[in-house]
């Protein structure tokens, strides 16, 4: 009987040791992501979602609809917002070190006081309705994909290259 019990325990322990935590998975269910039970929610409808004061590292939110979402005071280090729609979203005082906003729509987004240091904003839609007041852009790759932000750079002097639009993969939000 002891041998049988030890065999059962022996099988159980390795399964527990290799079982990944639930938060490592991608989900297509926005509620699962919002509860923190999944790391990623690619292509999810998170329109108007409250993600304020949220802490996520390496989250995958590619092609997610975050229109009018609240990400204020949140922390998204290394997150992927590639092709995400963040139109009119609140990202005030949020931290996005090393995040990827390639081809994301930031039109009308409030990024005031946000930490965008070392982010990739290549091809991001940033227009005159995007609020970057007080945002930290140190070392960020800007929308022209060639310019790395240095303190004192006049952002309005960095033109959008309309020809580059033809060279990129089209996102669903454009």
């Amino acid at each position: 009987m002891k041998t049988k019990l030890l065999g059962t325990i022996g099988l159980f322990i390795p399964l527990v040791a290799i079982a990944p935590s639930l938060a490592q998975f991608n989900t297509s269910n926005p509620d699962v992501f919002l509860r923190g039970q999944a790391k990623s929610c690619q292509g999810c409808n998170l329109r108007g979602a409250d993600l304020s004061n949220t802490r996520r590292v390496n989250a995958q939110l590619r092609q997610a609809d975050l229109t009018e979402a609240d990400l204020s005071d949140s922390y998204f280090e290394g997150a992927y917002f590639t092709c995400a729609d963040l139109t009119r979203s609140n990202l005030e005082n949020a931290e996005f070190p090393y995040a990827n906003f390639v081809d994301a729509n930031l039109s009308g987004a409030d990024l005031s006081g946000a930490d965008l240091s070392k982010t990739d904003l290549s091809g991001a839609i940033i227009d005159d309705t995007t609020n970057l007041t007080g945002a930290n852009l140190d070392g960020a790759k800007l929308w022209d994909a060639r310019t790395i932000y240095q303190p004192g750079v006049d952002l309005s002097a960095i033109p959008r290259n309309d020809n580059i639009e033809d060279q990129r993969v089209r996102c669903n939000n454009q």
Side-chain angles (χ1 to χ4, degrees):
M1 190 183 274
K2 284 185 177 180
T3 306
K4 199 173 199 183
L5 182 59
L6 290 175
T8 303
I9 292 170
L11 289 174
F12 179 71
I13 292 171
L15 290 176
V16 171
I18 63 170
S21 73
L22 191 57
Q24 293 178 355
F25 293 107
N26 183 45
T27 183
S28 58
N29 183 334
D31 293 327
V32 171
F33 179 78
L34 291 171
R35 287 191 305 264
Q37 295 174 322
K39 178 178 178 178
S40 303
C41 200
Q42 298 184 78
C44 282
N45 181 355
L46 294 165
R47 180 182 284 263
D50 183 1
L51 288 162
S52 62
N53 298 299
T54 298
R55 181 177 175 82
R56 303 284 174 98
V57 176
N58 298 326
Q60 308 287 324
L61 292 165
R62 292 178 177 100
Q63 296 183 335
D65 182 357
L66 289 155
T67 302
E68 298 178 345
D70 185 359
L71 284 80
S72 62
D73 300 305
S74 60
Y75 183 85
F76 280 88
E77 180 179 352
Y80 284 86
F81 294 95
T82 310
C83 294
D85 190 350
L86 292 139
T87 304
R88 296 180 308 282
S89 58
N90 181 5
L91 296 93
E92 187 176 7
N93 298 316
E95 297 179 56
F96 301 100
Y98 303 100
N100 181 312
F101 287 92
V102 172
D103 294 328
N105 188 345
L106 293 166
S107 179
D110 183 359
L111 290 151
S112 59
D115 179 3
L116 297 167
S117 58
K118 299 178 180 59
T119 59
D120 189 348
L121 295 162
S122 302
I125 299 171
I126 296 175
D127 59 21
D128 58 353
T129 65
T130 305
N131 184 357
L132 289 167
T133 305
N136 178 5
L137 291 162
D138 291 348
K141 183 187 277 189
L142 299 179
W143 40 93
D144 69 347
R146 294 184 315 245
T147 305
I148 303 297
Y149 181 80
Q150 306 268 334
V153 171
D154 179 8
L155 295 176
S156 64
I158 302 170
R160 293 285 306 192
N161 181 351
D162 294 332
N163 295 331
I164 205 163
E165 300 294 326
D166 296 330
Q167 299 170 22
R168 282 198 307 271
V169 175
R170 296 286 178 186
C171 297
N172 293 337
N173 62 9
Q174 296 181 6

